[in-house]
């Protein structure tokens, strides 16, 4: 060890040119790779089953949910096989009546309209459906944003062969109807009704609980078996009759992708900051009825 020099080189000139080249070659080959590499094309999203196609035994929760919301809840029920999965819809009312699309809110599917559809069906040909991730519709693993929901309506209208229709939406369905009328004006037959619409909220208007559930950590916790088991315990203790609240709770417990679909709608969807769409609709020739 007496004659061994352990000092480090003090300048680049003391480092072998071979070592420099060996260090630079991976860097020089990596730069073109990252500059000119194309991402892989998007693949179709994974589709989760709706209420009609759930695997496994027909347990008590599913039976209860189907009792509250049977598959033949309205006449004219069918499924549209669309790019995002199968969508459950109903067509009610006289075939030659003016056409009307009803758009549900964030949680409760088609039964939310049960009190008004019999009245409206005397005057309109009604198209009502379950949003993806609710009721009998399937649930794609995708971003549940405003574009997704407006495409949902447009694709369904194309499926049933409707060139245009009046549009009505309640709660989250309100801003969907608004954005649909703005993005697809030729599909709207001159009138839009917004019933207690969301869409104008800001981030500060959304409480801490839905913000947490829509986060990645909150969503992971909300979809665990432990969380659902506690939800089942609370449900069995209530013992109340069929209500909208019960339908919401049962969907959370039974449908495998219902909670992520709702959480995605809170995080990315049309609940907030759509003032630009409302302003544009207000300046258009479309007649708008707002009921708050």
């Amino acid at each position: 060890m007496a004659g061994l020099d352990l000092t480090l080189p003090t300048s680049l000139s003391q480092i072998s040119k071979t070592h420099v080249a060996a260090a630079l070659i991976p860097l020089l080959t990596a730069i073109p790779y990252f500059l000119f590499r194309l991402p892989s094309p998007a693949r179709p999203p994974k589709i989760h089953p709706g209420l009609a196609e759930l695997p496994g035994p027909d347990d008590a929760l599913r039976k209860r949910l189907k009792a509250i919301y049977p598959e033949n809840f309205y006449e004219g029920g069918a499924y549209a096989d669309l790019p995002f999965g199968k969508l459950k819809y109903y067509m009610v009312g006289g075939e030659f009546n003016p056409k009307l699309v009803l758009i549900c809110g964030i949680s409760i599917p088609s039964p939310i309209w049960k009190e008004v559809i019999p009245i409206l069906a005397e005057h309109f040909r009604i198209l009502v459906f379950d949003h993806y991730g609710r009721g009998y519709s399937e649930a794609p693993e995708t971003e549940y944003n405003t574009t997704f929901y407006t495409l949902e309506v447009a694709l369904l209208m194309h499926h049933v062969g409707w060139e245009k229709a009046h549009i009505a939406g309640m709660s989250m369905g309100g801003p969907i109807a608004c954005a649909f009328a703005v993005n697809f004006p030729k599909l709207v037959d001159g009138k839009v009704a917004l019933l207690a619409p969301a869409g104008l909220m800001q981030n500060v208007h959304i409480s801490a609980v839905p913000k947490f559930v829509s986060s990645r950590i909150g969503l992971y916790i909300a979809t665990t078996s432990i969380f659902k088991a506690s939800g089942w315990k609370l449900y069995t203790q209530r013992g109340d009759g069929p209500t909208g609240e019960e339908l919401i709770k049962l969907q959370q417990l039974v449908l495998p992708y219902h909670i992520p679909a709702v959480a995605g709608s809170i995080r990315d969807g049309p609940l907030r900051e759509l003032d630009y769409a409302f302003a544009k609709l207000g300046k258009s020739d479309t007649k708008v009825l707002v009921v708050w």
Side-chain angles (χ1 to χ4, degrees):
M1 299 291 290
L4 183 63
D5 184 6
L6 296 178
T7 59
L8 294 174
T10 57
S11 67
L12 187 61
S13 62
Q14 293 177 269
I15 303 176
S16 166
K17 291 182 179 179
T18 304
H19 293 160
V20 174
L24 289 178
I25 286 174
L27 178 62
L28 294 175
T29 55
I31 290 174
Y33 174 80
F34 286 106
L35 286 178
F36 302 106
R37 174 180 174 271
L38 292 175
S40 299
R43 295 184 177 275
K46 181 179 179 180
I47 306 294
H48 295 271
L51 182 56
E53 302 172 323
L54 284 178
D58 195 13
D59 55 29
L61 282 177
R62 288 174 59 199
K63 286 182 178 178
R64 178 59 179 161
L65 182 51
K66 286 185 175 182
I68 297 173
Y69 179 21
E71 196 168 4
N72 60 346
F73 193 84
Y74 302 112
E75 63 184 61
Y79 289 90
D81 197 355
L82 303 176
F84 295 110
K86 292 180 181 177
L87 198 71
K88 175 69 175 183
Y89 69 94
Y90 303 89
M91 301 187 75
V92 187
E95 187 175 351
F96 299 102
N97 289 344
K99 298 176 176 61
L100 171 64
V101 178
L102 299 179
I103 306 176
C104 302
I106 191 170
S107 296
I108 304 179
S110 297
I112 193 67
W113 300 99
K114 64 179 180 179
E115 303 296 339
V116 297
I117 278 184
I119 300 170
L120 292 174
E122 297 178 5
H123 309 279
F124 296 96
R125 177 67 166 171
I126 299 168
L127 174 62
V128 62
F129 61 96
D130 295 347
H131 285 305
Y132 283 115
R134 288 81 163 175
Y136 288 90
S137 291
E138 294 181 328
E141 288 190 9
T142 189
E143 190 171 310
Y144 284 72
N145 57 24
T146 303
T147 301
F148 170 79
Y149 281 112
T150 55
L151 281 174
E152 180 189 53
V153 180
L155 290 170
L156 181 58
M157 286 183 62
H158 175 74
H159 174 81
V160 300
W162 284 13
E163 295 182 357
K164 58 175 55 182
H166 303 306
I167 311 295
M170 65 173 301
S171 190
M172 189 185 77
I176 296 173
C178 175
F180 178 83
V182 168
N183 294 327
F184 299 98
K186 292 185 178 179
L187 299 182
V188 178
D189 197 11
K191 294 180 181 179
V192 171
L194 310 176
L195 313 175
L200 296 178
M201 295 186 291
Q202 304 298 316
N203 288 337
V204 295
H205 299 139
I206 300 194
S207 63
V209 173
K211 282 182 179 178
F212 175 72
V213 173
S214 64
S215 68
R216 292 187 182 276
I217 296 176
L219 187 57
Y220 174 79
I221 294 173
T223 53
T224 59
S225 56
I226 295 176
F227 183 89
K228 288 194 172 185
S230 64
W232 158 248
K233 186 176 181 181
L234 290 173
Y235 169 76
T236 54
Q237 289 175 348
R238 291 183 62 90
D240 53 358
T243 63
E245 184 179 352
E246 187 182 15
L247 183 54
I248 292 172
K249 177 60 69 176
L250 285 171
Q251 287 185 113
Q252 293 172 356
L253 296 173
V254 171
L255 297 179
Y257 206 72
H258 175 75
I259 294 176
V262 172
S265 303
I266 296 171
R267 184 180 59 249
D268 307 312
L271 292 180
R272 53 194 173 88
E273 300 185 20
L274 281 183
D275 48 297
Y276 66 92
F278 281 87
K280 189 171 182 179
L281 179 62
K283 294 176 182 178
S284 70
D285 295 331
T286 303
K287 293 182 179 179
V288 183
L289 171 68
V290 182
V291 180
W292 232 295

